[in-house]
Amino acid sequence: MSAVEGTDSYDALAEDLRALRHAAGSPSFTEIAVRVGQVREARGTDPGRARPARTTVYDTFRAGRSRMDGALVADIAEALDAPDPRSWRDRCGRIQHALEESRLRPIATDDVDDEPTRDPTPDAEPGPVPAADPLPPAPADPAPAQGTRLLLLAGCVVLNLVGILVIRATGLPLYFDTIGIAVAALALGPWAGAAAAVATHAFSFLLIPSSSPLFAAVSVTAALVWGYVWRHLRQRGALTPPIGLHLLVGLCCSVVATPILWLRFHGFGGHTAGQLQNIFNGRIEPEWVTVFLTNLSTSMPDKLLSGVIAVAVIPVALRVITRITKSAELAAAPSSAPALRHEASQRPRTAVTPPPGASVR
């Protein structure tokens, strides 16, 4: 049964969706929700609002529905590579219109006194689906989303600075200055991660003057690789960043860091990780290869740990920051409540007029 042809009912539409899912390789409902989020993000929807809940997607495929969100159905169809996603939304509108007409038709043609138990109000109360359903990615007030992004970026910079201080205090042959960069790049995008990298090195230079701002190029490289590669993997259906991505970031960082260490610091940048260079000295030529291998032996485990920690931190951080922004909104809301109540009290009340032909009891 095609997406447009067939019986005009939500059960038939759900059956067609199940057939479309089967034709797409039967992806899980979680994966479909991820794909829908990607479709909406491509249209400019904020990433924090783009992805629907798994249960919402599951309910769309379920029979026995009396209402469906046409925009969500169209996004699911597009996520499952349907040739004409808009036709699915149009079909939802036609089915809902037919249902509304069938509910209102007895009121217009039958004598209301003959059927005193029929009350049109409960059936007509839900209203039209496309305009009332909150699930479509309609434009929303950008202030909370923007505030959430800024709070997350600030937290990422603080997390990087804490990592730098921990390494300086413990002397471990790691860096831990890219955990926050990984969080920003994976959650907000590559250039948000790059902004966190630049801010981290700016504050690090103010706190620790002996640090070199040249290594900001290494951190920016990490942000761009994390962000762009993860974006590509998500478009291909990946649900979590793989371990290989973190190792690739470590390799790219070493490629960028080696010329800086070799040309500016003669192979040793003053970090405790440079002490491992003694393992390779005199065994491998030329010397820049020794610098590269020394940095790689610390960069890859450092980026692996940073990436794994970031993946674990992201959902917790988003929940905490979202709760903070919502609490701020609720704290600001009561200030306007008295004015709204006064305005409502001054608004004239409108009498409810019964439909034509209905008897008033």
Side-chain angles (χ1 to χ4, degrees), residues 17-352:
L17 280 175
R18 292 192 292 272
L20 182 65
R21 175 176 175 244
H22 179 73
S26 298
S28 66
F29 295 108
T30 301
E31 184 177 354
I32 295 175
V34 171
R35 294 184 187 180
V36 170
Q38 295 168 357
V39 168
R40 292 177 173 178
E41 288 181 30
R43 290 200 300 261
T45 305
D46 187 87
R49 302 172 180 266
R51 178 175 172 178
R54 176 191 176 278
T55 54
T56 303
V57 174
Y58 170 80
D59 286 341
T60 308
F61 289 81
R62 181 173 54 83
R65 298 290 301 273
S66 60
R67 299 168 62 88
M68 274 195 181
D69 173 21
L72 177 61
V73 171
D75 290 342
I76 291 175
E78 184 173 352
L80 295 177
D81 299 323
D84 187 9
R86 182 173 295 180
S87 65
W88 293 79
R89 180 169 188 164
D90 295 340
R91 185 182 177 189
C92 279
R94 290 196 300 271
I95 294 172
Q96 183 63 29
H97 181 70
L99 288 175
E100 293 297 331
E101 282 191 342
S102 66
R103 291 167 180 168
L104 296 175
R105 190 176 300 117
I107 301 173
T109 59
D110 296 343
D111 188 358
V112 178
D113 291 333
D114 293 338
E115 295 180 6
T117 59
R118 182 184 297 275
D119 184 3
T121 304
D123 290 336
E125 183 179 359
V129 171
D133 204 314
L135 285 175
D141 183 8
Q146 187 68 15
T148 301
R149 292 172 66 89
L150 292 176
L151 281 176
L152 183 59
L153 275 176
C156 290
V157 174
V158 172
L159 185 60
N160 291 335
L161 295 176
V162 170
I164 292 173
L165 294 177
V166 168
I167 293 301
R168 288 182 67 88
T170 59
L172 294 174
L174 296 171
Y175 304 101
F176 273 9
D177 58 348
T178 56
I179 299 176
I181 294 172
V183 171
L186 295 174
L188 302 177
W191 291 106
V198 173
T200 296
H201 282 273
F203 283 106
S204 175
F205 184 72
L206 293 176
L207 296 175
I208 310 171
S210 60
S211 61
S212 174
L214 293 176
F215 291 105
V218 181
S219 297
V220 170
T221 299
L224 297 181
V225 175
W226 258 317
Y228 278 114
V229 174
W230 172 230
R231 179 180 294 177
H232 173 73
L233 293 175
R234 284 187 63 189
Q235 292 174 351
R236 297 177 65 88
L239 298 179
T240 57
I243 298 298
L245 171 58
H246 311 318
L247 297 177
L248 175 64
V249 172
L251 174 62
C252 294
C253 287
S254 292
V255 171
V256 176
T258 297
I260 298 174
L261 291 169
W262 173 245
L263 298 176
R264 177 65 179 83
F265 299 99
H266 307 288
F268 182 69
H271 194 276
T272 54
Q275 298 173 2
L276 298 177
Q277 188 169 341
N278 297 327
I279 299 175
F280 301 101
N281 279 335
R283 294 183 174 87
I284 300 176
E285 297 292 342
E287 190 173 351
W288 68 265
V289 177
T290 300
V291 176
F292 172 74
L293 292 177
T294 301
N295 186 266
L296 186 66
S297 64
T298 55
S299 178
M300 293 191 74
D302 175 76
K303 301 307 179 289
L304 175 61
L305 287 173
S306 298
V308 171
I309 294 173
V311 171
V313 164
I314 287 173
V316 178
L318 288 177
R319 281 197 298 269
V320 171
I321 292 175
T322 301
R323 192 170 301 171
I324 292 173
T325 55
K326 287 184 177 180
S327 299
E329 292 174 4
L330 292 175
S335 60
S336 59
L340 292 176
R341 286 195 297 267
H342 176 72
E343 181 182 352
S345 64
Q346 300 299 320
R347 191 177 302 149
R349 297 181 179 272
T350 304
V352 179

